[in-house]
Amino acid sequence: MKNFLRRSTGKISMVFASMLLTLVTVAQETKKLDIDIDTKSDDSGFFMQPWVWVVGGAVFILLLIALLRGNSNK
């Protein structure tokens, strides 16, 4: 019996630790979220501009090409 307890002490402690973590997680206080999204604002971010997406796509493609070409060792 003592040999069994010595071998399974780690497993038993992990079970108790996971049960304690589950209790702490479940016991968290839930708050009601109030999210207000104003889509009619004139102040849209820079990411809404089409040129930002074009420049970002071009940089991504150039970076992808550079990474794929630099990987071929002859």
Side-chain angles (χ1 to χ4, degrees), residues 2-50:
K2 289 182 182 182
N3 195 14
F4 173 74
L5 287 176
R6 286 183 188 159
R7 288 187 291 163
S8 61
T9 303
K11 293 178 185 178
I12 293 172
S13 62
M14 285 300 294
V15 168
F16 283 125
S18 66
M19 287 172 46
L20 179 65
L21 184 63
T22 303
L23 286 175
V24 169
T25 305
V26 171
Q28 295 295 318
E29 182 178 327
T30 59
K31 294 183 180 179
K32 183 178 179 183
L33 294 178
D34 185 22
I35 300 173
D36 183 24
I37 299 175
D38 186 18
T39 58
K40 296 181 182 184
S41 175
D42 292 335
D43 184 28
S44 58
F46 70 93
F47 52 87
M48 295 297 290
Q49 302 296 327

Side-chain angles (χ1 to χ4, degrees), residues 59-70:
V59 168
F60 176 74
I61 290 172
L62 289 174
L63 183 63
L64 188 63
I65 290 171
L67 287 174
L68 290 177
R69 285 192 176 216

